Amino acid sequence: MTRIIKKKVRVSALGQHICMSAHKARRVIDQIRGRFYEESLMILELMPYRACYPILKLVYSAAANGIHNLGFNEASLVIIKAEVNEGTASKRLKPRARGRNYLIKRPTCHITIVLREISLDEYVYPDYLTYSKKNRIEK
């Protein structure tokens, strides 16, 4: 009996404390989720939103992690997970009339990008299944 193990190799990039609201970043992230790497780069370069630049840097960083560390092919990378979570709000005081002050909250967000390589060799044989006379693989 042959057992085939499915490869589950993923690469990710995490950006924390990015100074924008999570709602505005989600508007951009929803456009690239599930797309190929090169297609998402083109989309992010052409969209007119301020949130595109930090997301573009994260997508590029996650792909560079996969290419350098695991030898992935750039053309077969797919964004399988892209999420935006709310971060802490940085608080600033703005001076007002009569010596009073007003609290200004600047929202931050955490963005996670996960890439996976879609290729033909998605399944691998484990190491202990080798072609030998003693331990033969049956088809």
PDB file of all heavy atoms in Angstrom, residues 90-121:
ATOM      1  N   SER A  90      -2.757  54.675  18.514  1.00  0.00           N
ATOM      2  CA  SER A  90      -1.812  55.608  19.122  1.00  0.00           C
ATOM      3  C   SER A  90      -2.557  56.895  19.450  1.00  0.00           C
ATOM      4  O   SER A  90      -3.328  57.401  18.644  1.00  0.00           O
ATOM      5  CB  SER A  90      -0.638  55.876  18.184  1.00  0.00           C
ATOM      6  OG  SER A  90      -1.084  56.492  17.009  1.00  0.00           O
ATOM      7  N   LYS A  91      -2.326  57.414  20.653  1.00  0.00           N
ATOM      8  CA  LYS A  91      -3.090  58.558  21.141  1.00  0.00           C
ATOM      9  C   LYS A  91      -2.218  59.807  21.160  1.00  0.00           C
ATOM     10  O   LYS A  91      -1.083  59.788  21.638  1.00  0.00           O
ATOM     11  CB  LYS A  91      -3.625  58.259  22.534  1.00  0.00           C
ATOM     12  CG  LYS A  91      -4.602  57.103  22.522  1.00  0.00           C
ATOM     13  CD  LYS A  91      -4.962  56.654  23.898  1.00  0.00           C
ATOM     14  CE  LYS A  91      -5.854  55.433  23.795  1.00  0.00           C
ATOM     15  NZ  LYS A  91      -6.075  54.820  25.092  1.00  0.00           N
ATOM     16  N   ARG A  92      -2.762  60.890  20.637  1.00  0.00           N
ATOM     17  CA  ARG A  92      -2.078  62.177  20.610  1.00  0.00           C
ATOM     18  C   ARG A  92      -2.996  63.224  21.252  1.00  0.00           C
ATOM     19  O   ARG A  92      -4.219  63.110  21.155  1.00  0.00           O
ATOM     20  CB  ARG A  92      -1.792  62.602  19.166  1.00  0.00           C
ATOM     21  CG  ARG A  92      -0.971  61.630  18.375  1.00  0.00           C
ATOM     22  CD  ARG A  92       0.496  61.764  18.731  1.00  0.00           C
ATOM     23  NE  ARG A  92       1.312  60.897  17.916  1.00  0.00           N
ATOM     24  CZ  ARG A  92       1.787  59.724  18.315  1.00  0.00           C
ATOM     25  NH1 ARG A  92       1.489  59.276  19.501  1.00  0.00           N
ATOM     26  NH2 ARG A  92       2.540  58.997  17.533  1.00  0.00           N
ATOM     27  N   LEU A  93      -2.394  64.234  21.837  1.00  0.00           N
ATOM     28  CA  LEU A  93      -3.165  65.321  22.430  1.00  0.00           C
ATOM     29  C   LEU A  93      -3.037  66.565  21.557  1.00  0.00           C
ATOM     30  O   LEU A  93      -1.927  66.978  21.210  1.00  0.00           O
ATOM     31  CB  LEU A  93      -2.672  65.632  23.844  1.00  0.00           C
ATOM     32  CG  LEU A  93      -2.911  64.529  24.877  1.00  0.00           C
ATOM     33  CD1 LEU A  93      -2.278  64.924  26.193  1.00  0.00           C
ATOM     34  CD2 LEU A  93      -4.380  64.272  25.045  1.00  0.00           C
ATOM     35  N   LYS A  94      -4.173  67.131  21.213  1.00  0.00           N
ATOM     36  CA  LYS A  94      -4.190  68.350  20.403  1.00  0.00           C
ATOM     37  C   LYS A  94      -4.615  69.518  21.298  1.00  0.00           C
ATOM     38  O   LYS A  94      -5.645  69.437  21.961  1.00  0.00           O
ATOM     39  CB  LYS A  94      -5.179  68.178  19.247  1.00  0.00           C
ATOM     40  CG  LYS A  94      -5.209  69.354  18.309  1.00  0.00           C
ATOM     41  CD  LYS A  94      -6.107  69.087  17.133  1.00  0.00           C
ATOM     42  CE  LYS A  94      -6.066  70.246  16.164  1.00  0.00           C
ATOM     43  NZ  LYS A  94      -6.951  70.017  15.016  1.00  0.00           N
ATOM     44  N   PRO A  95      -3.825  70.576  21.327  1.00  0.00           N
ATOM     45  CA  PRO A  95      -4.211  71.712  22.183  1.00  0.00           C
ATOM     46  C   PRO A  95      -5.453  72.423  21.643  1.00  0.00           C
ATOM     47  O   PRO A  95      -5.600  72.606  20.442  1.00  0.00           O
ATOM     48  CB  PRO A  95      -2.983  72.625  22.146  1.00  0.00           C
ATOM     49  CG  PRO A  95      -2.104  72.097  21.092  1.00  0.00           C
ATOM     50  CD  PRO A  95      -2.547  70.738  20.706  1.00  0.00           C
ATOM     51  N   ARG A  96      -6.308  72.793  22.570  1.00  0.00           N
ATOM     52  CA  ARG A  96      -7.551  73.489  22.225  1.00  0.00           C
ATOM     53  C   ARG A  96      -7.615  74.827  22.985  1.00  0.00           C
ATOM     54  O   ARG A  96      -6.690  75.189  23.707  1.00  0.00           O
ATOM     55  CB  ARG A  96      -8.767  72.627  22.576  1.00  0.00           C
ATOM     56  CG  ARG A  96      -8.764  71.255  21.924  1.00  0.00           C
ATOM     57  CD  ARG A  96      -8.855  71.334  20.439  1.00  0.00           C
ATOM     58  NE  ARG A  96     -10.186  71.731  20.031  1.00  0.00           N
ATOM     59  CZ  ARG A  96     -10.633  71.705  18.787  1.00  0.00           C
ATOM     60  NH1 ARG A  96      -9.822  71.291  17.817  1.00  0.00           N
ATOM     61  NH2 ARG A  96     -11.832  72.083  18.486  1.00  0.00           N
ATOM     62  N   ALA A  97      -8.739  75.506  22.859  1.00  0.00           N
ATOM     63  CA  ALA A  97      -8.910  76.821  23.477  1.00  0.00           C
ATOM     64  C   ALA A  97      -8.964  76.695  25.004  1.00  0.00           C
ATOM     65  O   ALA A  97      -9.328  75.658  25.552  1.00  0.00           O
ATOM     66  CB  ALA A  97     -10.188  77.471  22.972  1.00  0.00           C
ATOM     67  N   ARG A  98      -8.585  77.760  25.674  1.00  0.00           N
ATOM     68  CA  ARG A  98      -8.622  77.888  27.133  1.00  0.00           C
ATOM     69  C   ARG A  98      -7.740  76.859  27.843  1.00  0.00           C
ATOM     70  O   ARG A  98      -8.061  76.403  28.933  1.00  0.00           O
ATOM     71  CB  ARG A  98     -10.047  77.764  27.657  1.00  0.00           C
ATOM     72  CG  ARG A  98     -10.947  78.890  27.247  1.00  0.00           C
ATOM     73  CD  ARG A  98     -12.280  78.716  27.871  1.00  0.00           C
ATOM     74  NE  ARG A  98     -13.127  79.852  27.599  1.00  0.00           N
ATOM     75  CZ  ARG A  98     -14.352  79.979  28.089  1.00  0.00           C
ATOM     76  NH1 ARG A  98     -14.845  79.039  28.867  1.00  0.00           N
ATOM     77  NH2 ARG A  98     -15.059  81.026  27.799  1.00  0.00           N
ATOM     78  N   GLY A  99      -6.659  76.436  27.214  1.00  0.00           N
ATOM     79  CA  GLY A  99      -5.731  75.529  27.855  1.00  0.00           C
ATOM     80  C   GLY A  99      -6.188  74.085  27.938  1.00  0.00           C
ATOM     81  O   GLY A  99      -5.590  73.278  28.651  1.00  0.00           O
ATOM     82  N   ARG A 100      -7.240  73.772  27.253  1.00  0.00           N
ATOM     83  CA  ARG A 100      -7.714  72.393  27.259  1.00  0.00           C
ATOM     84  C   ARG A 100      -7.035  71.608  26.150  1.00  0.00           C
ATOM     85  O   ARG A 100      -6.345  72.159  25.298  1.00  0.00           O
ATOM     86  CB  ARG A 100      -9.239  72.363  27.073  1.00  0.00           C
ATOM     87  CG  ARG A 100      -9.958  73.047  28.207  1.00  0.00           C
ATOM     88  CD  ARG A 100     -11.444  72.923  28.064  1.00  0.00           C
ATOM     89  NE  ARG A 100     -12.078  73.556  29.214  1.00  0.00           N
ATOM     90  CZ  ARG A 100     -13.141  74.314  29.141  1.00  0.00           C
ATOM     91  NH1 ARG A 100     -13.684  74.546  27.968  1.00  0.00           N
ATOM     92  NH2 ARG A 100     -13.662  74.828  30.209  1.00  0.00           N
ATOM     93  N   ASN A 101      -7.253  70.301  26.156  1.00  0.00           N
ATOM     94  CA  ASN A 101      -6.701  69.484  25.076  1.00  0.00           C
ATOM     95  C   ASN A 101      -7.750  68.487  24.603  1.00  0.00           C
ATOM     96  O   ASN A 101      -8.742  68.225  25.293  1.00  0.00           O
ATOM     97  CB  ASN A 101      -5.410  68.784  25.507  1.00  0.00           C
ATOM     98  CG  ASN A 101      -5.594  67.976  26.761  1.00  0.00           C
ATOM     99  OD1 ASN A 101      -6.693  67.596  27.113  1.00  0.00           O
ATOM    100  ND2 ASN A 101      -4.507  67.714  27.452  1.00  0.00           N
ATOM    101  N   TYR A 102      -7.514  67.947  23.427  1.00  0.00           N
ATOM    102  CA  TYR A 102      -8.453  67.034  22.783  1.00  0.00           C
ATOM    103  C   TYR A 102      -7.670  65.800  22.363  1.00  0.00           C
ATOM    104  O   TYR A 102      -6.581  65.892  21.792  1.00  0.00           O
ATOM    105  CB  TYR A 102      -9.088  67.719  21.573  1.00  0.00           C
ATOM    106  CG  TYR A 102     -10.098  66.879  20.853  1.00  0.00           C
ATOM    107  CD1 TYR A 102     -11.339  66.602  21.414  1.00  0.00           C
ATOM    108  CD2 TYR A 102      -9.813  66.349  19.609  1.00  0.00           C
ATOM    109  CE1 TYR A 102     -12.261  65.828  20.755  1.00  0.00           C
ATOM    110  CE2 TYR A 102     -10.728  65.571  18.936  1.00  0.00           C
ATOM    111  CZ  TYR A 102     -11.949  65.316  19.515  1.00  0.00           C
ATOM    112  OH  TYR A 102     -12.857  64.546  18.859  1.00  0.00           O
ATOM    113  N   LEU A 103      -8.207  64.625  22.640  1.00  0.00           N
ATOM    114  CA  LEU A 103      -7.528  63.366  22.349  1.00  0.00           C
ATOM    115  C   LEU A 103      -7.778  62.950  20.899  1.00  0.00           C
ATOM    116  O   LEU A 103      -8.927  62.863  20.457  1.00  0.00           O
ATOM    117  CB  LEU A 103      -8.025  62.268  23.299  1.00  0.00           C
ATOM    118  CG  LEU A 103      -7.294  60.949  23.252  1.00  0.00           C
ATOM    119  CD1 LEU A 103      -5.874  61.108  23.744  1.00  0.00           C
ATOM    120  CD2 LEU A 103      -8.021  59.918  24.094  1.00  0.00           C
ATOM    121  N   ILE A 104      -6.698  62.702  20.167  1.00  0.00           N
ATOM    122  CA  ILE A 104      -6.786  62.216  18.795  1.00  0.00           C
ATOM    123  C   ILE A 104      -6.273  60.788  18.771  1.00  0.00           C
ATOM    124  O   ILE A 104      -5.156  60.523  19.221  1.00  0.00           O
ATOM    125  CB  ILE A 104      -5.966  63.092  17.827  1.00  0.00           C
ATOM    126  CG1 ILE A 104      -6.562  64.492  17.776  1.00  0.00           C
ATOM    127  CG2 ILE A 104      -5.912  62.471  16.440  1.00  0.00           C
ATOM    128  CD1 ILE A 104      -5.753  65.451  16.963  1.00  0.00           C
ATOM    129  N   LYS A 105      -7.080  59.853  18.273  1.00  0.00           N
ATOM    130  CA  LYS A 105      -6.678  58.450  18.189  1.00  0.00           C
ATOM    131  C   LYS A 105      -6.324  58.114  16.750  1.00  0.00           C
ATOM    132  O   LYS A 105      -7.139  58.266  15.847  1.00  0.00           O
ATOM    133  CB  LYS A 105      -7.806  57.536  18.664  1.00  0.00           C
ATOM    134  CG  LYS A 105      -8.121  57.689  20.124  1.00  0.00           C
ATOM    135  CD  LYS A 105      -9.218  56.751  20.544  1.00  0.00           C
ATOM    136  CE  LYS A 105      -9.542  56.924  22.003  1.00  0.00           C
ATOM    137  NZ  LYS A 105     -10.674  56.091  22.413  1.00  0.00           N
ATOM    138  N   ARG A 106      -5.084  57.643  16.547  1.00  0.00           N
ATOM    139  CA  ARG A 106      -4.640  57.235  15.217  1.00  0.00           C
ATOM    140  C   ARG A 106      -4.676  55.713  15.167  1.00  0.00           C
ATOM    141  O   ARG A 106      -3.880  55.053  15.838  1.00  0.00           O
ATOM    142  CB  ARG A 106      -3.213  57.713  14.940  1.00  0.00           C
ATOM    143  CG  ARG A 106      -3.006  59.183  15.123  1.00  0.00           C
ATOM    144  CD  ARG A 106      -2.874  60.018  13.888  1.00  0.00           C
ATOM    145  NE  ARG A 106      -2.611  59.390  12.646  1.00  0.00           N
ATOM    146  CZ  ARG A 106      -1.511  59.587  11.929  1.00  0.00           C
ATOM    147  NH1 ARG A 106      -0.540  60.333  12.397  1.00  0.00           N
ATOM    148  NH2 ARG A 106      -1.386  59.025  10.759  1.00  0.00           N
ATOM    149  N   PRO A 107      -5.575  55.130  14.392  1.00  0.00           N
ATOM    150  CA  PRO A 107      -5.686  53.668  14.376  1.00  0.00           C
ATOM    151  C   PRO A 107      -4.515  53.014  13.642  1.00  0.00           C
ATOM    152  O   PRO A 107      -3.948  53.579  12.706  1.00  0.00           O
ATOM    153  CB  PRO A 107      -6.999  53.420  13.647  1.00  0.00           C
ATOM    154  CG  PRO A 107      -7.182  54.620  12.792  1.00  0.00           C
ATOM    155  CD  PRO A 107      -6.570  55.774  13.535  1.00  0.00           C
ATOM    156  N   THR A 108      -4.141  51.819  14.089  1.00  0.00           N
ATOM    157  CA  THR A 108      -3.121  51.022  13.418  1.00  0.00           C
ATOM    158  C   THR A 108      -3.710  49.663  13.090  1.00  0.00           C
ATOM    159  O   THR A 108      -4.770  49.286  13.606  1.00  0.00           O
ATOM    160  CB  THR A 108      -1.865  50.838  14.294  1.00  0.00           C
ATOM    161  OG1 THR A 108      -2.233  50.130  15.474  1.00  0.00           O
ATOM    162  CG2 THR A 108      -1.245  52.164  14.652  1.00  0.00           C
ATOM    163  N   CYS A 109      -3.016  48.920  12.232  1.00  0.00           N
ATOM    164  CA  CYS A 109      -3.495  47.589  11.859  1.00  0.00           C
ATOM    165  C   CYS A 109      -2.324  46.645  11.668  1.00  0.00           C
ATOM    166  O   CYS A 109      -1.185  47.076  11.472  1.00  0.00           O
ATOM    167  CB  CYS A 109      -4.374  47.638  10.606  1.00  0.00           C
ATOM    168  SG  CYS A 109      -3.522  48.159   9.126  1.00  0.00           S
ATOM    169  N   HIS A 110      -2.600  45.359  11.750  1.00  0.00           N
ATOM    170  CA  HIS A 110      -1.625  44.301  11.507  1.00  0.00           C
ATOM    171  C   HIS A 110      -2.063  43.554  10.256  1.00  0.00           C
ATOM    172  O   HIS A 110      -3.202  43.084  10.180  1.00  0.00           O
ATOM    173  CB  HIS A 110      -1.546  43.336  12.683  1.00  0.00           C
ATOM    174  CG  HIS A 110      -1.323  43.991  14.009  1.00  0.00           C
ATOM    175  ND1 HIS A 110      -0.355  44.940  14.222  1.00  0.00           N
ATOM    176  CD2 HIS A 110      -1.942  43.828  15.196  1.00  0.00           C
ATOM    177  CE1 HIS A 110      -0.389  45.325  15.475  1.00  0.00           C
ATOM    178  NE2 HIS A 110      -1.351  44.668  16.095  1.00  0.00           N
ATOM    179  N   ILE A 111      -1.172  43.398   9.287  1.00  0.00           N
ATOM    180  CA  ILE A 111      -1.497  42.752   8.013  1.00  0.00           C
ATOM    181  C   ILE A 111      -0.661  41.490   7.879  1.00  0.00           C
ATOM    182  O   ILE A 111       0.553  41.515   8.099  1.00  0.00           O
ATOM    183  CB  ILE A 111      -1.234  43.696   6.825  1.00  0.00           C
ATOM    184  CG1 ILE A 111      -2.059  44.969   6.980  1.00  0.00           C
ATOM    185  CG2 ILE A 111      -1.562  43.009   5.506  1.00  0.00           C
ATOM    186  CD1 ILE A 111      -1.760  46.020   5.946  1.00  0.00           C
ATOM    187  N   THR A 112      -1.317  40.381   7.537  1.00  0.00           N
ATOM    188  CA  THR A 112      -0.643  39.100   7.337  1.00  0.00           C
ATOM    189  C   THR A 112      -0.887  38.630   5.906  1.00  0.00           C
ATOM    190  O   THR A 112      -2.036  38.576   5.463  1.00  0.00           O
ATOM    191  CB  THR A 112      -1.169  38.034   8.310  1.00  0.00           C
ATOM    192  OG1 THR A 112      -1.067  38.535   9.638  1.00  0.00           O
ATOM    193  CG2 THR A 112      -0.397  36.744   8.174  1.00  0.00           C
ATOM    194  N   ILE A 113       0.182  38.278   5.197  1.00  0.00           N
ATOM    195  CA  ILE A 113       0.113  37.751   3.836  1.00  0.00           C
ATOM    196  C   ILE A 113       0.751  36.365   3.843  1.00  0.00           C
ATOM    197  O   ILE A 113       1.880  36.217   4.294  1.00  0.00           O
ATOM    198  CB  ILE A 113       0.857  38.653   2.833  1.00  0.00           C
ATOM    199  CG1 ILE A 113       0.343  40.089   2.874  1.00  0.00           C
ATOM    200  CG2 ILE A 113       0.781  38.092   1.421  1.00  0.00           C
ATOM    201  CD1 ILE A 113      -1.006  40.303   2.287  1.00  0.00           C
ATOM    202  N   VAL A 114       0.032  35.347   3.348  1.00  0.00           N
ATOM    203  CA  VAL A 114       0.559  33.983   3.272  1.00  0.00           C
ATOM    204  C   VAL A 114       0.514  33.536   1.820  1.00  0.00           C
ATOM    205  O   VAL A 114      -0.539  33.625   1.167  1.00  0.00           O
ATOM    206  CB  VAL A 114      -0.247  33.010   4.159  1.00  0.00           C
ATOM    207  CG1 VAL A 114       0.322  31.609   4.054  1.00  0.00           C
ATOM    208  CG2 VAL A 114      -0.255  33.470   5.598  1.00  0.00           C
ATOM    209  N   LEU A 115       1.641  33.053   1.305  1.00  0.00           N
ATOM    210  CA  LEU A 115       1.755  32.578  -0.074  1.00  0.00           C
ATOM    211  C   LEU A 115       2.026  31.077  -0.092  1.00  0.00           C
ATOM    212  O   LEU A 115       2.629  30.538   0.833  1.00  0.00           O
ATOM    213  CB  LEU A 115       2.891  33.286  -0.809  1.00  0.00           C
ATOM    214  CG  LEU A 115       2.802  34.792  -0.981  1.00  0.00           C
ATOM    215  CD1 LEU A 115       4.062  35.307  -1.623  1.00  0.00           C
ATOM    216  CD2 LEU A 115       1.619  35.161  -1.814  1.00  0.00           C
ATOM    217  N   ARG A 116       1.582  30.433  -1.164  1.00  0.00           N
ATOM    218  CA  ARG A 116       1.864  29.018  -1.366  1.00  0.00           C
ATOM    219  C   ARG A 116       2.168  28.799  -2.832  1.00  0.00           C
ATOM    220  O   ARG A 116       1.629  29.482  -3.701  1.00  0.00           O
ATOM    221  CB  ARG A 116       0.661  28.163  -0.956  1.00  0.00           C
ATOM    222  CG  ARG A 116       0.947  26.676  -0.966  1.00  0.00           C
ATOM    223  CD  ARG A 116      -0.155  25.926  -0.257  1.00  0.00           C
ATOM    224  NE  ARG A 116      -1.325  25.816  -1.096  1.00  0.00           N
ATOM    225  CZ  ARG A 116      -1.652  24.733  -1.796  1.00  0.00           C
ATOM    226  NH1 ARG A 116      -0.895  23.675  -1.754  1.00  0.00           N
ATOM    227  NH2 ARG A 116      -2.732  24.715  -2.527  1.00  0.00           N
ATOM    228  N   GLU A 117       3.028  27.823  -3.111  1.00  0.00           N
ATOM    229  CA  GLU A 117       3.384  27.535  -4.495  1.00  0.00           C
ATOM    230  C   GLU A 117       2.430  26.481  -5.051  1.00  0.00           C
ATOM    231  O   GLU A 117       2.250  25.424  -4.461  1.00  0.00           O
ATOM    232  CB  GLU A 117       4.820  27.034  -4.590  1.00  0.00           C
ATOM    233  CG  GLU A 117       5.278  26.859  -6.012  1.00  0.00           C
ATOM    234  CD  GLU A 117       6.721  26.389  -6.096  1.00  0.00           C
ATOM    235  OE1 GLU A 117       7.171  25.698  -5.186  1.00  0.00           O
ATOM    236  OE2 GLU A 117       7.366  26.713  -7.090  1.00  0.00           O
ATOM    237  N   ILE A 118       1.805  26.803  -6.170  1.00  0.00           N
ATOM    238  CA  ILE A 118       0.934  25.865  -6.864  1.00  0.00           C
ATOM    239  C   ILE A 118       1.762  25.253  -7.980  1.00  0.00           C
ATOM    240  O   ILE A 118       2.147  25.922  -8.927  1.00  0.00           O
ATOM    241  CB  ILE A 118      -0.299  26.574  -7.467  1.00  0.00           C
ATOM    242  CG1 ILE A 118      -1.074  27.283  -6.378  1.00  0.00           C
ATOM    243  CG2 ILE A 118      -1.169  25.599  -8.219  1.00  0.00           C
ATOM    244  CD1 ILE A 118      -1.719  26.385  -5.366  1.00  0.00           C
ATOM    245  N   SER A 119       2.071  23.970  -7.871  1.00  0.00           N
ATOM    246  CA  SER A 119       2.889  23.329  -8.890  1.00  0.00           C
ATOM    247  C   SER A 119       2.434  21.895  -9.074  1.00  0.00           C
ATOM    248  O   SER A 119       1.558  21.399  -8.373  1.00  0.00           O
ATOM    249  CB  SER A 119       4.372  23.386  -8.514  1.00  0.00           C
ATOM    250  OG  SER A 119       4.569  22.695  -7.309  1.00  0.00           O
ATOM    251  N   LEU A 120       3.053  21.219 -10.024  1.00  0.00           N
ATOM    252  CA  LEU A 120       2.662  19.842 -10.323  1.00  0.00           C
ATOM    253  C   LEU A 120       3.143  18.866  -9.259  1.00  0.00           C
ATOM    254  O   LEU A 120       2.511  17.847  -9.031  1.00  0.00           O
ATOM    255  CB  LEU A 120       3.220  19.442 -11.693  1.00  0.00           C
ATOM    256  CG  LEU A 120       2.663  20.236 -12.866  1.00  0.00           C
ATOM    257  CD1 LEU A 120       3.363  19.817 -14.145  1.00  0.00           C
ATOM    258  CD2 LEU A 120       1.166  20.021 -13.000  1.00  0.00           C
ATOM    259  N   ASP A 121       4.263  19.150  -8.616  1.00  0.00           N
ATOM    260  CA  ASP A 121       4.787  18.241  -7.605  1.00  0.00           C
ATOM    261  C   ASP A 121       4.226  18.576  -6.230  1.00  0.00           C
ATOM    262  O   ASP A 121       4.944  18.844  -5.282  1.00  0.00           O
ATOM    263  CB  ASP A 121       6.308  18.271  -7.591  1.00  0.00           C
ATOM    264  CG  ASP A 121       6.842  19.668  -7.375  1.00  0.00           C
ATOM    265  OD1 ASP A 121       6.066  20.622  -7.426  1.00  0.00           O
ATOM    266  OD2 ASP A 121       8.045  19.786  -7.150  1.00  0.00           O
TER     267      ASP A 121
END
